[in-house]
Amino acid sequence: MSVREIVTIGDPRLREPAREVGADELASAPVQELIDAMIATKRAADGAGIAAPQVGEPLRIALAEVDPTNRRYPYKPPIPLTVIVNPVLEPIGEELVMINEGCLSVPGLRGEVPRHLRVRVRYRDRDGAERELVASGMTAGTFQHEVDHLDGILFCDRADPRSFSTWEQFDRHHREGFVRRMEALTERLAREDGP
């Protein structure tokens, strides 16, 4: 699998809404190779997810994956590799949570973004099968972040500009409090959602 160059903020390709992918196109070798390259690129960069526009492709394809070895996001709950094609995101309930986010396409910057606490995502997997998942907390935030990319939206568009910090300053001044807040949220969601 080849690692692609990540498109960064300022490149107009990040601002273009991506187009839907048809079944035949999804099954094609070029699109399957693109998905493999996106996986390799996300893993090489230690991201929590990546969307096709971030590697310069205007297609409604994104993926999320978090494991405990992720150096950028060791505090995020695990997400098994999930490829989402033509996703439709539906908030569940009105509650929002502030999530401190970063982005591979906005290197060095983080900010607090209001995200829906719970979302339903309907999508096709890389084999074209219809799927649906419900995500909560930081995992819900990850899927919202990636779907935003498919609409030409970056996290910094939604963040309170007063919350912006470099990664270094986040680690120094904000990380500990944010992680404590997210751990408490994860515990609350586990109680509410049950086994």
Side-chain angles (χ1 to χ4, degrees):
M1 290 190 281
S2 63
V3 172
R4 297 270 192 103
E5 181 179 348
I6 295 173
V7 175
T8 55
I9 188 169
D11 189 310
R13 292 175 291 179
L14 288 174
R15 296 305 191 170
E16 295 294 324
R19 67 173 176 79
E20 290 205 349
V21 180
D24 290 342
E25 185 180 18
L26 177 58
S28 71
V31 171
Q32 290 297 314
E33 288 166 9
L34 168 65
I35 293 169
D36 288 338
M38 288 170 61
I39 294 167
T41 303
K42 182 213 73 75
R43 288 176 176 170
D46 268 331
I50 198 166
Q54 292 182 273
V55 294
E57 300 292 342
L59 302 176
R60 292 190 74 79
I61 301 172
L63 61 91
E65 179 186 45
V66 177
D67 67 46
T69 64
N70 187 297
R71 292 183 307 245
R72 281 167 54 102
Y73 298 109
Y75 51 81
K76 280 196 171 204
I79 304 173
L81 177 62
T82 307
V83 176
I84 58 174
V85 180
N86 302 332
V88 175
L89 194 144
E90 174 193 342
I92 300 173
E94 300 295 320
E95 188 174 356
L96 300 175
V97 61
M98 295 300 287
I99 299 180
N100 192 291
E101 297 185 11
C103 180
L104 298 175
S105 290
V106 188
L109 187 68
R110 296 184 63 98
E112 293 277 326
V113 182
R115 296 293 189 186
H116 291 282
L117 180 64
R118 291 182 173 87
V119 294
R120 176 176 289 106
V121 187
R122 293 183 177 92
Y123 63 98
R124 292 194 181 274
D125 65 19
R126 71 180 298 171
D127 298 318
E130 291 185 5
R131 303 278 183 197
E132 179 179 308
L133 65 83
V134 173
S136 302
M138 280 192 289
T139 300
T142 298
F143 283 103
Q144 290 168 81
H145 179 112
E146 298 310 329
V147 172
D148 272 354
H149 273 299
L150 304 180
D151 296 326
I153 298 168
L154 299 176
F155 87 93
C156 48
D157 302 333
R158 297 193 185 278
D160 177 349
R162 295 169 299 175
S163 73
F164 288 147
S165 70
T166 64
W167 277 73
E168 178 186 354
Q169 296 303 329
F170 170 74
D171 284 342
R172 182 177 294 161
H173 301 290
H174 308 287
R175 178 179 176 144
E176 187 177 318
F178 172 68
V179 170
R180 274 199 314 268
R181 190 163 49 89
M182 291 299 102
E183 286 172 344
L185 177 66
T186 301
E187 288 173 14
R188 180 193 129 197
L189 291 170
R191 286 192 307 271
E192 290 176 1
D193 296 343

